[in-house]
């Protein structure tokens, strides 16, 4: 049975977003939290993983660190909340993260990565999955990384087959994914550029027997996409009222969580960067959204855009 995961996206796939997504769209077999990185989880991180905020959702928390003691400290706290699986972030390409050799930056020091994995796989009582890129700046780095991954009982390896240097540019290297299929006997999940049912179908055919796919930006742009993939149909009707109810629930969730209009607007504006294209909003409309500084104005703009 094919599985669809919602990708972790910092500042976007928060518990507020995950709950609204599940409520109105679903089609997701597993949600991932944006990365956690504080040795003692901070208020925001605790809020995001707390079981009360994730009822009825299958959630795997993600951790970003290169320190085994930090990883083990976070997993101990997650175990107390009842989690059975955690995900290690070896994919984040951001300059500041990479400079500290975390995220994709950890891939630049395979021996240190190997030692880190050795320690966490020995000491961590929870199942560990990994989300990885295929290297920093050359495809042949992938051979070395695969030989490291082959040593550990990774619950699932989620591969975004791009190099750190590529950020989100160019086409994902599907041949690197095929190479992992040959080299490893652990479950694999493909991630990258699934923006339509057709893109999914082509990949599913090319990458069979892999049947687990993670969606990020494609699901943000069209929250109906995961459910469409599960039904294997392109002709789901787009229901505007469902979308607006989904949207309003996210706004409401952030209003409860944050104080003042600005942080709520910040989150919504970022989301519109992804949702705008799918809904065919004009540049002028998007600009109007970006320029609002008050929630009441924002809500009026949204209403006027969608009343036509
Ligand atoms: C704004 C943004 C935030 C992201 N935050 C995270 C994160 O916290 N952890 C992570 O592993 N990947 C993160 N990613 C990467 C996504 O999980 C995913 O791998 C990437 O978007 C490629 O998948 P897609 O083509 O389906 O979007 C982020 C990506 C974006 C665009």
């Amino acid at each position: 049975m094919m599985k669809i995961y919602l990708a972790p996206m910092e500042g976007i796939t928060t518990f507020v977003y995950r709950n609204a997504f599940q409520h109105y769209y679903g089609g997701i077999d597993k949600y991932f939290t944006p990365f956690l990185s504080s040795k003692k989880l901070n208020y925001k991180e605790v809020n995001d993983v707390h079981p009360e905020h994730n009822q009825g959702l299958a959630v795997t928390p993600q951790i970003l660190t290169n320190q085994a003691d930090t990883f083990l400290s976070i997993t101990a706290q997650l175990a107390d909340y009842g989690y059975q699986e955690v995900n290690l972030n070896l994919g984040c390409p951001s300059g500041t993260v990479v400079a500290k050799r975390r995220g994709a930056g950890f891939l630049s020091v395979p021996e240190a990565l190997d030692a880190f994995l050795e320690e966490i796989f020995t000491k961590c009582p929870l199942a560990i999955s990994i989300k990885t890129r295929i290297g920093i700046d050359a495809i042949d780095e992938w051979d070395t990384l695969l030989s490291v991954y082959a040593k550990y009982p990774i619950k699932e390896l989620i591969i975004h087959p791009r190099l750190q240097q590529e950020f989100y540019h160019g086409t994902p290297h599907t041949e690197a994914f095929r190479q992992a299929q040959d080299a490893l006997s652990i479950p694999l999940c493909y991630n990258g550029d699934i923006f339509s049912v057709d893109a999914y179908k082509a990949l599913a055919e090319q990458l069979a027997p892999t049947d687990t796919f993670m969606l990020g930006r494609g699901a943000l742009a069209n929250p109906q996409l995961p459910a469409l993939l599960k039904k294997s149909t392109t002709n789901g009707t787009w229901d505007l009222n469902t979308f607006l109810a989904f949207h309003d629930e996210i706004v409401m969730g952030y209003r409860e969580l944050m104080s003042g209009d600005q942080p709520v607007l910040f989150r919504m504006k970022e989301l519109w960067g992804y949702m705008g294209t799918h809904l065919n909003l004009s540049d002028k409309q998007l600009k109007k959204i970006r320029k609002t500084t008050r929630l009441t104005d924002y809500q009026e703009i949204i209403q006027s855009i969608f009343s036509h």
Side-chain angles (χ1 to χ4, degrees):
M1 185 62 183
M2 58 98 90
K3 282 180 277 182
I4 302 289
Y5 297 164
L6 186 70
M9 298 182 93
E10 175 64 5
I12 299 176
T13 61
T14 60
F15 78 92
V16 169
Y17 185 86
R18 298 193 299 269
N19 279 285
F21 202 99
Q22 179 74 4
H23 188 177
Y24 291 100
Y25 291 105
I28 298 292
D29 295 286
K30 210 187 269 184
Y31 292 86
F32 288 74
T33 71
F35 65 76
L36 312 163
S37 56
S38 313
K39 193 166 184 177
K40 176 159 180 3
L41 295 178
N42 63 34
Y43 178 76
K44 184 176 138 226
E45 292 170 326
V46 167
N47 244 342
D48 202 53
V49 298
H50 203 284
E52 273 178 23
H53 291 161
N54 292 281
Q55 286 173 27
L57 303 180
V59 175
T60 298
Q62 188 190 61
I63 299 172
L64 176 83
T65 187
N66 58 12
Q67 299 296 313
D69 60 342
T70 299
F71 187 91
L72 294 167
S73 162
I74 295 174
T75 50
Q77 293 165 76
L78 294 171
D80 285 344
Y81 287 127
Y83 287 100
Q84 291 172 359
E85 180 190 331
V86 293
N87 179 263
L88 173 68
N89 180 330
L90 295 178
C92 182
S94 121
T96 47
V97 167
V98 169
K100 292 181 194 155
R101 300 205 161 143
R102 302 194 298 173
F106 212 170
L107 305 177
S108 68
V109 282
E111 280 172 22
L113 174 62
D114 194 1
F116 169 86
L117 294 177
E118 175 72 38
E119 184 167 355
I120 65 170
F121 275 96
T122 309
K123 295 182 180 167
C124 177
L126 306 187
I128 301 168
S129 65
I130 292 178
K131 181 165 177 280
T132 188
R133 285 189 179 240
I134 58 172
I136 300 287
D137 45 33
I139 299 286
D140 59 11
E141 295 167 38
W142 189 224
D143 296 330
T144 310
L145 295 169
L146 283 173
S147 67
V148 172
Y149 292 146
K151 295 168 64 177
Y152 301 99
I154 302 168
K155 170 91 185 297
E156 185 169 48
L157 185 66
I158 302 159
I159 302 170
H160 179 58
R162 280 192 172 100
L163 297 163
Q164 180 271 329
Q165 283 211 336
E166 293 174 316
F167 287 86
Y168 298 101
H169 308 307
T171 316
H173 303 274
T174 46
E175 70 284 358
F177 191 92
R178 300 298 301 264
Q179 200 186 332
Q181 288 177 318
D182 292 338
L184 305 173
S185 51
I186 50 176
L188 301 181
C189 168
Y190 173 89
N191 167 241
D193 291 24
I194 302 177
F195 299 132
S196 67
V197 175
D198 287 342
Y200 163 75
K201 281 187 174 158
L203 274 167
E205 202 175 288
Q206 195 188 349
L207 301 180
T210 293
D211 63 354
T212 306
F213 297 85
M214 173 182 271
L215 273 68
R217 295 163 297 168
L220 299 186
N222 176 6
Q224 201 179 17
L225 186 56
L228 290 180
L229 300 186
K230 296 227 96 172
K231 281 185 271 181
S232 196
T233 172
T234 31
N235 50 20
T237 49
W238 176 255
D239 183 59
L240 184 59
N241 288 328
T242 302
F243 174 75
L244 291 176
F246 167 68
H247 167 273
D248 292 349
E249 190 166 302
I250 297 170
V251 173
M252 217 155 54
Y254 284 139
R255 283 184 66 177
E256 271 176 35
L257 192 66
M258 303 161 141
S259 58
D261 291 5
Q262 297 322 311
V264 180
L265 286 170
F266 180 83
R267 294 284 162 111
M268 297 315 296
K269 288 175 188 179
E270 189 167 10
L271 255 184
W272 276 110
Y274 299 95
M275 302 189 298
T277 41
H278 181 70
L279 291 170
N280 291 320
L281 261 57
S282 66
D283 287 348
K284 203 172 146 201
Q285 288 170 321
L286 285 171
K287 197 167 166 193
K288 242 177 154 179
I289 292 175
R290 273 201 306 274
K291 284 189 137 180
T292 37
T293 55
R294 289 192 316 198
L295 256 175
T296 46
D297 297 342
Y298 170 81
Q299 272 152 337
E300 268 171 35
I301 293 166
I302 298 300
Q303 216 166 26
S304 83
I305 290 174
F306 291 105
S307 60
H308 308 303

